[in-house]
PDB file of all heavy atoms in Angstrom:
ATOM      1  N   PHE A 247     109.170 112.582  97.159  1.00  0.00           N
ATOM      2  CA  PHE A 247     108.500 113.370  96.126  1.00  0.00           C
ATOM      3  C   PHE A 247     107.031 113.533  96.465  1.00  0.00           C
ATOM      4  O   PHE A 247     106.410 112.654  97.058  1.00  0.00           O
ATOM      5  CB  PHE A 247     108.590 112.683  94.777  1.00  0.00           C
ATOM      6  CG  PHE A 247     109.971 112.606  94.159  1.00  0.00           C
ATOM      7  CD1 PHE A 247     111.112 112.949  94.869  1.00  0.00           C
ATOM      8  CD2 PHE A 247     110.121 112.189  92.840  1.00  0.00           C
ATOM      9  CE1 PHE A 247     112.369 112.876  94.293  1.00  0.00           C
ATOM     10  CE2 PHE A 247     111.376 112.112  92.250  1.00  0.00           C
ATOM     11  CZ  PHE A 247     112.497 112.449  92.986  1.00  0.00           C
ATOM     12  N   THR A 248     106.470 114.673  96.111  1.00  0.00           N
ATOM     13  CA  THR A 248     105.040 114.897  96.214  1.00  0.00           C
ATOM     14  C   THR A 248     104.543 115.559  94.928  1.00  0.00           C
ATOM     15  O   THR A 248     105.346 116.095  94.153  1.00  0.00           O
ATOM     16  CB  THR A 248     104.681 115.795  97.405  1.00  0.00           C
ATOM     17  OG1 THR A 248     105.338 117.066  97.265  1.00  0.00           O
ATOM     18  CG2 THR A 248     105.081 115.161  98.734  1.00  0.00           C
ATOM     19  N   ILE A 249     103.246 115.489  94.730  1.00  0.00           N
ATOM     20  CA  ILE A 249     102.617 116.099  93.548  1.00  0.00           C
ATOM     21  C   ILE A 249     101.497 117.005  94.019  1.00  0.00           C
ATOM     22  O   ILE A 249     100.719 116.635  94.910  1.00  0.00           O
ATOM     23  CB  ILE A 249     102.054 115.029  92.591  1.00  0.00           C
ATOM     24  CG1 ILE A 249     103.183 114.197  91.973  1.00  0.00           C
ATOM     25  CG2 ILE A 249     101.226 115.684  91.485  1.00  0.00           C
ATOM     26  CD1 ILE A 249     102.683 113.034  91.125  1.00  0.00           C
ATOM     27  N   SER A 250     101.420 118.165  93.407  1.00  0.00           N
ATOM     28  CA  SER A 250     100.287 119.041  93.670  1.00  0.00           C
ATOM     29  C   SER A 250      99.687 119.476  92.325  1.00  0.00           C
ATOM     30  O   SER A 250     100.397 119.525  91.313  1.00  0.00           O
ATOM     31  CB  SER A 250     100.691 120.255  94.501  1.00  0.00           C
ATOM     32  OG  SER A 250     101.708 120.993  93.873  1.00  0.00           O
ATOM     33  N   LYS A 251      98.424 119.779  92.347  1.00  0.00           N
ATOM     34  CA  LYS A 251      97.687 120.119  91.116  1.00  0.00           C
ATOM     35  C   LYS A 251      96.784 121.299  91.399  1.00  0.00           C
ATOM     36  O   LYS A 251      96.015 121.280  92.381  1.00  0.00           O
ATOM     37  CB  LYS A 251      96.880 118.901  90.658  1.00  0.00           C
ATOM     38  CG  LYS A 251      96.170 119.026  89.311  1.00  0.00           C
ATOM     39  CD  LYS A 251      95.503 117.690  88.971  1.00  0.00           C
ATOM     40  CE  LYS A 251      94.933 117.667  87.547  1.00  0.00           C
ATOM     41  NZ  LYS A 251      93.587 118.170  87.507  1.00  0.00           N
ATOM     42  N   ASP A 252      96.875 122.293  90.569  1.00  0.00           N
ATOM     43  CA  ASP A 252      96.031 123.480  90.704  1.00  0.00           C
ATOM     44  C   ASP A 252      95.173 123.607  89.442  1.00  0.00           C
ATOM     45  O   ASP A 252      95.686 124.000  88.387  1.00  0.00           O
ATOM     46  CB  ASP A 252      96.880 124.733  90.911  1.00  0.00           C
ATOM     47  CG  ASP A 252      96.052 125.965  91.269  1.00  0.00           C
ATOM     48  OD1 ASP A 252      94.880 126.055  90.830  1.00  0.00           O
ATOM     49  OD2 ASP A 252      96.585 126.845  91.946  1.00  0.00           O
ATOM     50  N   ASN A 253      93.915 123.263  89.547  1.00  0.00           N
ATOM     51  CA  ASN A 253      93.039 123.273  88.391  1.00  0.00           C
ATOM     52  C   ASN A 253      92.755 124.699  87.891  1.00  0.00           C
ATOM     53  O   ASN A 253      92.457 124.887  86.713  1.00  0.00           O
ATOM     54  CB  ASN A 253      91.748 122.561  88.695  1.00  0.00           C
ATOM     55  CG  ASN A 253      91.938 121.057  88.812  1.00  0.00           C
ATOM     56  OD1 ASN A 253      92.838 120.499  88.198  1.00  0.00           O
ATOM     57  ND2 ASN A 253      91.106 120.405  89.585  1.00  0.00           N
ATOM     58  N   ALA A 254      92.890 125.667  88.753  1.00  0.00           N
ATOM     59  CA  ALA A 254      92.674 127.054  88.335  1.00  0.00           C
ATOM     60  C   ALA A 254      93.819 127.557  87.466  1.00  0.00           C
ATOM     61  O   ALA A 254      93.637 128.451  86.633  1.00  0.00           O
ATOM     62  CB  ALA A 254      92.488 127.952  89.551  1.00  0.00           C
ATOM     63  N   LYS A 255      94.998 126.990  87.681  1.00  0.00           N
ATOM     64  CA  LYS A 255      96.177 127.404  86.924  1.00  0.00           C
ATOM     65  C   LYS A 255      96.564 126.433  85.836  1.00  0.00           C
ATOM     66  O   LYS A 255      97.572 126.620  85.146  1.00  0.00           O
ATOM     67  CB  LYS A 255      97.356 127.598  87.886  1.00  0.00           C
ATOM     68  CG  LYS A 255      97.155 128.706  88.914  1.00  0.00           C
ATOM     69  CD  LYS A 255      98.372 128.872  89.804  1.00  0.00           C
ATOM     70  CE  LYS A 255      98.172 130.021  90.785  1.00  0.00           C
ATOM     71  NZ  LYS A 255      99.343 130.186  91.700  1.00  0.00           N
ATOM     72  N   ASN A 256      95.790 125.365  85.679  1.00  0.00           N
ATOM     73  CA  ASN A 256      96.107 124.337  84.673  1.00  0.00           C
ATOM     74  C   ASN A 256      97.546 123.856  84.804  1.00  0.00           C
ATOM     75  O   ASN A 256      98.249 123.652  83.808  1.00  0.00           O
ATOM     76  CB  ASN A 256      95.869 124.874  83.254  1.00  0.00           C
ATOM     77  CG  ASN A 256      94.412 124.823  82.853  1.00  0.00           C
ATOM     78  OD1 ASN A 256      93.524 124.698  83.712  1.00  0.00           O
ATOM     79  ND2 ASN A 256      94.142 124.955  81.571  1.00  0.00           N
ATOM     80  N   THR A 257      97.960 123.656  86.030  1.00  0.00           N
ATOM     81  CA  THR A 257      99.355 123.294  86.289  1.00  0.00           C
ATOM     82  C   THR A 257      99.437 122.183  87.332  1.00  0.00           C
ATOM     83  O   THR A 257      98.671 122.161  88.295  1.00  0.00           O
ATOM     84  CB  THR A 257     100.152 124.519  86.777  1.00  0.00           C
ATOM     85  OG1 THR A 257     100.075 125.567  85.804  1.00  0.00           O
ATOM     86  CG2 THR A 257     101.613 124.163  87.002  1.00  0.00           C
ATOM     87  N   VAL A 258     100.387 121.295  87.092  1.00  0.00           N
ATOM     88  CA  VAL A 258     100.696 120.249  88.064  1.00  0.00           C
ATOM     89  C   VAL A 258     102.193 120.341  88.357  1.00  0.00           C
ATOM     90  O   VAL A 258     102.991 120.627  87.467  1.00  0.00           O
ATOM     91  CB  VAL A 258     100.296 118.857  87.535  1.00  0.00           C
ATOM     92  CG1 VAL A 258     101.033 118.488  86.260  1.00  0.00           C
ATOM     93  CG2 VAL A 258     100.498 117.801  88.607  1.00  0.00           C
ATOM     94  N   TRP A 259     102.540 120.122  89.617  1.00  0.00           N
ATOM     95  CA  TRP A 259     103.926 120.214  90.036  1.00  0.00           C
ATOM     96  C   TRP A 259     104.419 118.909  90.619  1.00  0.00           C
ATOM     97  O   TRP A 259     103.658 118.169  91.267  1.00  0.00           O
ATOM     98  CB  TRP A 259     104.096 121.288  91.129  1.00  0.00           C
ATOM     99  CG  TRP A 259     103.825 122.679  90.684  1.00  0.00           C
ATOM    100  CD1 TRP A 259     104.712 123.558  90.134  1.00  0.00           C
ATOM    101  CD2 TRP A 259     102.588 123.402  90.764  1.00  0.00           C
ATOM    102  NE1 TRP A 259     104.097 124.756  89.868  1.00  0.00           N
ATOM    103  CE2 TRP A 259     102.789 124.691  90.248  1.00  0.00           C
ATOM    104  CE3 TRP A 259     101.312 123.056  91.225  1.00  0.00           C
ATOM    105  CZ2 TRP A 259     101.787 125.643  90.176  1.00  0.00           C
ATOM    106  CZ3 TRP A 259     100.288 124.004  91.149  1.00  0.00           C
ATOM    107  CH2 TRP A 259     100.541 125.271  90.626  1.00  0.00           C
ATOM    108  N   LEU A 260     105.692 118.640  90.406  1.00  0.00           N
ATOM    109  CA  LEU A 260     106.362 117.522  91.051  1.00  0.00           C
ATOM    110  C   LEU A 260     107.421 118.122  91.965  1.00  0.00           C
ATOM    111  O   LEU A 260     108.373 118.738  91.519  1.00  0.00           O
ATOM    112  CB  LEU A 260     107.029 116.600  90.014  1.00  0.00           C
ATOM    113  CG  LEU A 260     107.814 115.427  90.584  1.00  0.00           C
ATOM    114  CD1 LEU A 260     106.861 114.444  91.261  1.00  0.00           C
ATOM    115  CD2 LEU A 260     108.582 114.706  89.468  1.00  0.00           C
ATOM    116  N   HIS A 261     107.207 117.946  93.263  1.00  0.00           N
ATOM    117  CA  HIS A 261     108.116 118.466  94.267  1.00  0.00           C
ATOM    118  C   HIS A 261     109.077 117.350  94.657  1.00  0.00           C
ATOM    119  O   HIS A 261     108.641 116.300  95.160  1.00  0.00           O
ATOM    120  CB  HIS A 261     107.344 118.934  95.507  1.00  0.00           C
ATOM    121  CG  HIS A 261     106.237 119.877  95.212  1.00  0.00           C
ATOM    122  ND1 HIS A 261     106.389 121.247  95.260  1.00  0.00           N
ATOM    123  CD2 HIS A 261     104.941 119.664  94.858  1.00  0.00           C
ATOM    124  CE1 HIS A 261     105.250 121.833  94.951  1.00  0.00           C
ATOM    125  NE2 HIS A 261     104.344 120.904  94.704  1.00  0.00           N
ATOM    126  N   MET A 262     110.369 117.597  94.422  1.00  0.00           N
ATOM    127  CA  MET A 262     111.370 116.555  94.649  1.00  0.00           C
ATOM    128  C   MET A 262     112.330 116.998  95.746  1.00  0.00           C
ATOM    129  O   MET A 262     112.983 118.036  95.611  1.00  0.00           O
ATOM    130  CB  MET A 262     112.128 116.284  93.344  1.00  0.00           C
ATOM    131  CG  MET A 262     111.223 115.934  92.173  1.00  0.00           C
ATOM    132  SD  MET A 262     112.127 115.462  90.677  1.00  0.00           S
ATOM    133  CE  MET A 262     112.960 116.994  90.309  1.00  0.00           C
ATOM    134  N   ASN A 263     112.372 116.208  96.793  1.00  0.00           N
ATOM    135  CA  ASN A 263     113.262 116.490  97.925  1.00  0.00           C
ATOM    136  C   ASN A 263     114.242 115.338  98.115  1.00  0.00           C
ATOM    137  O   ASN A 263     114.029 114.232  97.606  1.00  0.00           O
ATOM    138  CB  ASN A 263     112.429 116.695  99.193  1.00  0.00           C
ATOM    139  CG  ASN A 263     111.475 117.866  99.084  1.00  0.00           C
ATOM    140  OD1 ASN A 263     111.858 118.959  98.691  1.00  0.00           O
ATOM    141  ND2 ASN A 263     110.213 117.635  99.428  1.00  0.00           N
ATOM    142  N   SER A 264     115.292 115.603  98.879  1.00  0.00           N
ATOM    143  CA  SER A 264     116.309 114.583  99.192  1.00  0.00           C
ATOM    144  C   SER A 264     116.756 113.872  97.909  1.00  0.00           C
ATOM    145  O   SER A 264     116.801 112.637  97.857  1.00  0.00           O
ATOM    146  CB  SER A 264     115.742 113.586 100.200  1.00  0.00           C
ATOM    147  OG  SER A 264     115.348 114.238 101.378  1.00  0.00           O
ATOM    148  N   LEU A 265     117.071 114.642  96.922  1.00  0.00           N
ATOM    149  CA  LEU A 265     117.426 114.061  95.625  1.00  0.00           C
ATOM    150  C   LEU A 265     118.699 113.241  95.688  1.00  0.00           C
ATOM    151  O   LEU A 265     119.627 113.567  96.453  1.00  0.00           O
ATOM    152  CB  LEU A 265     117.552 115.158  94.586  1.00  0.00           C
ATOM    153  CG  LEU A 265     116.208 115.696  94.064  1.00  0.00           C
ATOM    154  CD1 LEU A 265     116.367 117.046  93.402  1.00  0.00           C
ATOM    155  CD2 LEU A 265     115.586 114.701  93.100  1.00  0.00           C
ATOM    156  N   LYS A 266     118.726 112.185  94.897  1.00  0.00           N
ATOM    157  CA  LYS A 266     119.854 111.273  94.832  1.00  0.00           C
ATOM    158  C   LYS A 266     120.404 111.254  93.403  1.00  0.00           C
ATOM    159  O   LYS A 266     119.656 111.537  92.452  1.00  0.00           O
ATOM    160  CB  LYS A 266     119.405 109.866  95.224  1.00  0.00           C
ATOM    161  CG  LYS A 266     118.727 109.779  96.579  1.00  0.00           C
ATOM    162  CD  LYS A 266     118.208 108.370  96.823  1.00  0.00           C
ATOM    163  CE  LYS A 266     117.496 108.252  98.157  1.00  0.00           C
ATOM    164  NZ  LYS A 266     116.981 106.878  98.390  1.00  0.00           N
ATOM    165  N   PRO A 267     121.653 110.875  93.247  1.00  0.00           N
ATOM    166  CA  PRO A 267     122.197 110.781  91.873  1.00  0.00           C
ATOM    167  C   PRO A 267     121.372 109.862  90.974  1.00  0.00           C
ATOM    168  O   PRO A 267     121.251 110.117  89.771  1.00  0.00           O
ATOM    169  CB  PRO A 267     123.607 110.233  92.108  1.00  0.00           C
ATOM    170  CG  PRO A 267     123.971 110.724  93.460  1.00  0.00           C
ATOM    171  CD  PRO A 267     122.711 110.685  94.256  1.00  0.00           C
ATOM    172  N   GLU A 268     120.783 108.826  91.530  1.00  0.00           N
ATOM    173  CA  GLU A 268     119.971 107.900  90.728  1.00  0.00           C
ATOM    174  C   GLU A 268     118.649 108.517  90.287  1.00  0.00           C
ATOM    175  O   GLU A 268     117.918 107.902  89.507  1.00  0.00           O
ATOM    176  CB  GLU A 268     119.722 106.586  91.481  1.00  0.00           C
ATOM    177  CG  GLU A 268     119.180 106.756  92.871  1.00  0.00           C
ATOM    178  CD  GLU A 268     120.275 106.689  93.924  1.00  0.00           C
ATOM    179  OE1 GLU A 268     121.359 107.311  93.714  1.00  0.00           O
ATOM    180  OE2 GLU A 268     120.072 106.033  94.967  1.00  0.00           O
ATOM    181  N   ASP A 269     118.320 109.709  90.744  1.00  0.00           N
ATOM    182  CA  ASP A 269     117.135 110.418  90.255  1.00  0.00           C
ATOM    183  C   ASP A 269     117.433 111.173  88.959  1.00  0.00           C
ATOM    184  O   ASP A 269     116.513 111.744  88.353  1.00  0.00           O
ATOM    185  CB  ASP A 269     116.647 111.429  91.299  1.00  0.00           C
ATOM    186  CG  ASP A 269     116.120 110.768  92.558  1.00  0.00           C
ATOM    187  OD1 ASP A 269     115.418 109.741  92.440  1.00  0.00           O
ATOM    188  OD2 ASP A 269     116.422 111.272  93.666  1.00  0.00           O
ATOM    189  N   THR A 270     118.683 111.167  88.534  1.00  0.00           N
ATOM    190  CA  THR A 270     119.060 111.833  87.293  1.00  0.00           C
ATOM    191  C   THR A 270     118.329 111.211  86.108  1.00  0.00           C
ATOM    192  O   THR A 270     118.374 110.000  85.900  1.00  0.00           O
ATOM    193  CB  THR A 270     120.564 111.747  87.063  1.00  0.00           C
ATOM    194  OG1 THR A 270     121.236 112.493  88.094  1.00  0.00           O
ATOM    195  CG2 THR A 270     120.958 112.300  85.699  1.00  0.00           C
ATOM    196  N   ALA A 271     117.614 112.042  85.357  1.00  0.00           N
ATOM    197  CA  ALA A 271     116.809 111.566  84.231  1.00  0.00           C
ATOM    198  C   ALA A 271     116.146 112.758  83.557  1.00  0.00           C
ATOM    199  O   ALA A 271     116.170 113.875  84.087  1.00  0.00           O
ATOM    200  CB  ALA A 271     115.734 110.581  84.714  1.00  0.00           C
ATOM    201  N   VAL A 272     115.540 112.483  82.416  1.00  0.00           N
ATOM    202  CA  VAL A 272     114.611 113.441  81.825  1.00  0.00           C
ATOM    203  C   VAL A 272     113.243 113.121  82.410  1.00  0.00           C
ATOM    204  O   VAL A 272     112.790 111.974  82.370  1.00  0.00           O
ATOM    205  CB  VAL A 272     114.592 113.335  80.293  1.00  0.00           C
ATOM    206  CG1 VAL A 272     113.553 114.294  79.718  1.00  0.00           C
ATOM    207  CG2 VAL A 272     115.965 113.634  79.717  1.00  0.00           C
ATOM    208  N   TYR A 273     112.595 114.130  82.934  1.00  0.00           N
ATOM    209  CA  TYR A 273     111.295 113.969  83.571  1.00  0.00           C
ATOM    210  C   TYR A 273     110.197 114.453  82.630  1.00  0.00           C
ATOM    211  O   TYR A 273     110.283 115.542  82.066  1.00  0.00           O
ATOM    212  CB  TYR A 273     111.247 114.733  84.888  1.00  0.00           C
ATOM    213  CG  TYR A 273     111.975 114.027  85.997  1.00  0.00           C
ATOM    214  CD1 TYR A 273     113.359 113.923  85.992  1.00  0.00           C
ATOM    215  CD2 TYR A 273     111.274 113.409  87.033  1.00  0.00           C
ATOM    216  CE1 TYR A 273     114.040 113.241  86.977  1.00  0.00           C
ATOM    217  CE2 TYR A 273     111.937 112.725  88.039  1.00  0.00           C
ATOM    218  CZ  TYR A 273     113.323 112.649  88.006  1.00  0.00           C
ATOM    219  OH  TYR A 273     113.985 111.968  88.999  1.00  0.00           O
ATOM    220  N   TYR A 274     109.147 113.618  82.515  1.00  0.00           N
ATOM    221  CA  TYR A 274     108.061 113.898  81.613  1.00  0.00           C
ATOM    222  C   TYR A 274     106.743 114.001  82.370  1.00  0.00           C
ATOM    223  O   TYR A 274     106.470 113.214  83.282  1.00  0.00           O
ATOM    224  CB  TYR A 274     107.916 112.801  80.571  1.00  0.00           C
ATOM    225  CG  TYR A 274     109.080 112.664  79.625  1.00  0.00           C
ATOM    226  CD1 TYR A 274     110.150 111.834  79.944  1.00  0.00           C
ATOM    227  CD2 TYR A 274     109.111 113.376  78.418  1.00  0.00           C
ATOM    228  CE1 TYR A 274     111.226 111.704  79.076  1.00  0.00           C
ATOM    229  CE2 TYR A 274     110.187 113.238  77.559  1.00  0.00           C
ATOM    230  CZ  TYR A 274     111.240 112.407  77.889  1.00  0.00           C
ATOM    231  OH  TYR A 274     112.304 112.282  77.037  1.00  0.00           O
TER     232      TYR A 274
END
């Protein structure tokens, strides 16, 4: 996983790769 943040867009992203079944959840 990686995180990126764009202050001009007031947005933050969580980039999730190689996902596993144990990553199943509600993300906040």
Side-chain angles (χ1 to χ4, degrees):
F247 292 10
T248 59
I249 294 174
S250 57
K251 186 176 188 273
D252 188 331
N253 289 333
K255 297 182 178 179
N256 279 18
T257 302
V258 61
W259 294 272
L260 177 67
H261 307 266
M262 305 185 295
N263 298 311
S264 302
L265 283 162
K266 305 175 181 179
E268 51 263 44
D269 293 319
T270 294
V272 177
Y273 283 70
Y274 295 89

